[in-house]
Amino acid sequence: MPSDCFPYGLHRHHKEKELILLGDTAWAPSILSHDVLGVLSQHPQLYFGRRMESKVSEGGLNVTLTIRLLMHGKEVGSIIGKKGETVKKMREESGARINISEGNCPERIVTITGPTDAIFKAFAMIAYKFEEDIINSMSNSPATSKPPVTLRLVVPASQCGSLIGKGGSKIKEIRESTGAQVQVAGDMLPNSTERAVTISGTPDAIIQCVKQICVVMLESPPKGATIPYRPKPASTPVIFAGGQAYTIQGQYAIPHPDLTKLHQLAMQQTPFPPLGQTNPAFPGLDASPPASTHELTIPNDLIGCIIGRQGTKINEIRQMSGAQIKIANATEGSSERQITITGSPANISLAQYLINARLTSEVTGMGAL
C-alpha cells in the first residue's frame, strides 16, 4: 500500500480545519469515502462535527486511534515486565496510552490509544517483544523453525464483513500485500458483538497488516451499538482453614460458603478418609457412598503446577477434596497427561475445582499463590 495513504501519511490533509469525530477518533473529511460521508450526512447523530486545529507533526496529522488486543495471561506478563518496567518503557517511548484490563482472567484486553505515529510505535514494540520471547523459548527447545508472532485484535462484528470483502477479496488482498496471515473468527466473542481477528507473521508484516485493517475500519464504521467483549473472571486460588474455604482476592482471603459446604460434604462422604481420619457417623447418612471415577487431560507444560514441588500441590488437593488422584506417566509423542480422580461426586467436584484453580493461577501469572 502506498506510504502516503491513511492512517500513517495524513500530511496530505494537514490544511483541513474541520474534522469529523467518530467515537473518540477525529478524521479529516477528505480521507473519508463518499459512502461514509453520505451516511454521516443522513445520520448526523453518529458523530459530532467540531472545528479543531490540526496538530501537524513530522509524521503527519496526529489523529487518535484505539486498537484493542486480546492476550493470554503470560503474554500480558511479558508486556508488563518486572515491576511494570516493560510497559512503562513502551508508554514513554511510543507516547501511546496502553491500558490493561483488570481482573484475574485467563484473557485480558490491552487497549492502545494515541496519535497514529504513537499507536503504531507501541504496536511494533509489542510485536518485537513477542518475537524476542519466541527466540528465548527456542533456546531451550529442539525446534528448528521459528513460529510466527501471533496477535489477536478485537473488532466489532459489524465491521468484519468489510474486512473480509466480497468473496473474501479484501482479506486476500491484505494477506498478499503484507505477507501476514489474517483470520476472522466466525463466532462472536462471548456476551459481546465483537469478533477476534488473528494476525500471524513477522513483526513488520503484522504492523503493515494492522495499518491496512485500520483503513477498512475507518471506511466502514460500526453499525448499531457495539457490546464490547469483557473476559470472564476465572476461578480464583482457594485455601482451606479451620474447615472453611476461602478464595484469594488480592491480599485478602474471602470466605466462600458454597465451597465450604462442598468441602464439608466431601469430607463426610469420602470413601477414602484423608490422612488417617475416620469418617464421622451420621444417622441415616451413608458416610461411604460407592466411589466413581472421572478422567481429564492436562497439557504437559502445565502438569508441573498441578503436582507442585515434590508433590506438595497434588497432595494438598488430595487432602482438601478427599479424592484419590492419579497422574499417568508421560507417554512418548503425547503432549498431554491423563489425570484419574476417584471418589464420591462431592470429592470429584471439589478436586476438579481445585485443579482448575491451580491451572488458572498458572496461566494468569499467579502460580506462586
Side-chain angles (χ1 to χ4, degrees):
M1 186 170 68
S3 62
D4 58 353
C5 288
F6 179 81
Y8 38 99
L10 287 175
H11 53 278
R12 275 189 167 189
H13 313 290
H14 69 273
K15 294 182 180 179
E16 297 188 70
K17 304 296 183 186
E18 183 74 29
L19 298 181
I20 290 176
L21 190 68
L22 298 176
D24 294 327
T25 306
W27 308 108
S30 63
I31 61 173
L32 293 168
S33 69
H34 292 299
D35 291 341
V36 172
L37 290 173
V39 170
L40 294 178
S41 65
Q42 295 173 29
H43 302 279
Q45 72 275 14
L46 294 177
Y47 70 99
F48 300 93
R50 54 169 80 162
R51 299 189 67 81
M52 300 172 60
E53 283 297 319
S54 306
K55 294 182 181 178
V56 181
S57 66
E58 187 178 344
L61 180 63
N62 280 346
V63 177
T64 300
L65 287 175
T66 295
I67 295 181
R68 298 175 70 225
L69 296 167
L70 184 59
M71 294 188 185
H72 293 298
K74 287 189 176 180
E75 293 173 325
V76 172
S78 173
I79 296 302
I80 295 174
K82 290 183 179 178
K83 298 181 180 178
E85 291 175 358
T86 304
V87 73
K88 181 182 178 183
K89 181 181 178 183
M90 288 180 177
R91 287 168 177 152
E92 290 174 350
E93 293 189 5
S94 69
R97 293 197 303 274
I98 304 174
N99 294 320
I100 300 168
S101 64
E102 298 290 339
N104 174 27
C105 303
E107 294 180 319
R108 307 275 281 279
I109 296 290
V110 177
T111 305
I112 309 173
T113 303
T116 52
D117 55 349
I119 203 171
F120 292 123
K121 278 181 188 175
F123 207 93
M125 292 176 78
I126 290 173
Y128 281 111
K129 180 65 175 72
F130 284 175
E131 183 180 55
E132 179 185 320
D133 293 342
I134 290 171
I135 293 171
N136 290 338
S137 66
M138 288 183 65
S139 63
N140 300 320
S141 169
T144 53
S145 59
K146 186 175 72 173
V149 174
T150 299
L151 293 174
R152 289 180 295 167
L153 304 183
V154 179
V155 176
S158 60
Q159 293 177 292
C160 288
S162 300
L163 181 57
I164 295 169
K166 190 174 183 179
S169 58
K170 189 62 186 178
I171 200 168
K172 181 182 179 183
E173 176 190 324
I174 293 174
R175 287 170 180 154
E176 292 176 350
S177 62
T178 66
Q181 288 297 314
V182 189
Q183 291 183 321
V184 179
D187 297 325
M188 286 185 280
L189 291 161
N191 303 314
S192 78
T193 57
E194 295 186 305
R195 294 188 193 180
V197 177
T198 303
I199 307 171
S200 299
T202 65
D204 289 341
I206 287 175
I207 294 161
Q208 294 303 318
C209 182
V210 170
K211 290 177 179 179
Q212 293 208 28
I213 288 174
C214 287
V215 175
V216 177
M217 299 300 100
L218 165 68
E219 294 181 343
S220 303
K223 298 173 184 176
T226 297
I227 301 172
Y229 173 59
R230 292 184 174 88
K232 185 179 179 182
S235 309
T236 54
V238 62
I239 60 173
F240 290 89
Q244 301 291 314
Y246 301 84
T247 54
I248 305 301
Q249 297 181 17
Q251 298 178 346
Y252 302 96
I254 311 298
H256 197 306
D258 292 339
L259 269 183
T260 297
K261 291 177 183 176
L262 184 59
H263 174 57
Q264 292 171 348
L265 183 62
M267 293 300 98
Q268 293 167 8
Q269 297 192 346
T270 175
F272 319 106
L275 300 183
Q277 297 176 13
T278 57
N279 284 327
F282 292 92
L285 175 66
D286 181 2
S288 300
S292 56
T293 298
H294 179 80
E295 293 181 348
L296 53 95
T297 55
I298 302 293
N300 277 336
D301 57 353
L302 291 176
I303 200 70
C305 77
I306 301 296
I307 298 173
R309 183 172 293 180
Q310 296 182 334
T312 54
K313 293 300 180 184
I314 193 65
N315 285 335
E316 283 178 11
I317 294 174
R318 287 175 177 136
Q319 181 178 348
M320 293 176 187
S321 67
Q324 283 190 347
I325 304 172
K326 294 182 180 179
I327 301 175
N329 293 329
T331 56
E332 188 174 351
S334 175
S335 61
E336 295 180 325
R337 300 275 286 277
Q338 184 168 295
I339 296 180
T340 303
I341 307 171
T342 305
S344 70
N347 300 142
I348 293 172
S349 295
L350 187 52
Q352 284 182 282
Y353 180 93
L354 296 171
I355 288 171
N356 287 332
R358 284 298 307 158
L359 292 172
T360 298
S361 297
E362 181 71 13
V363 170
T364 56
M366 298 176 65
L369 294 175

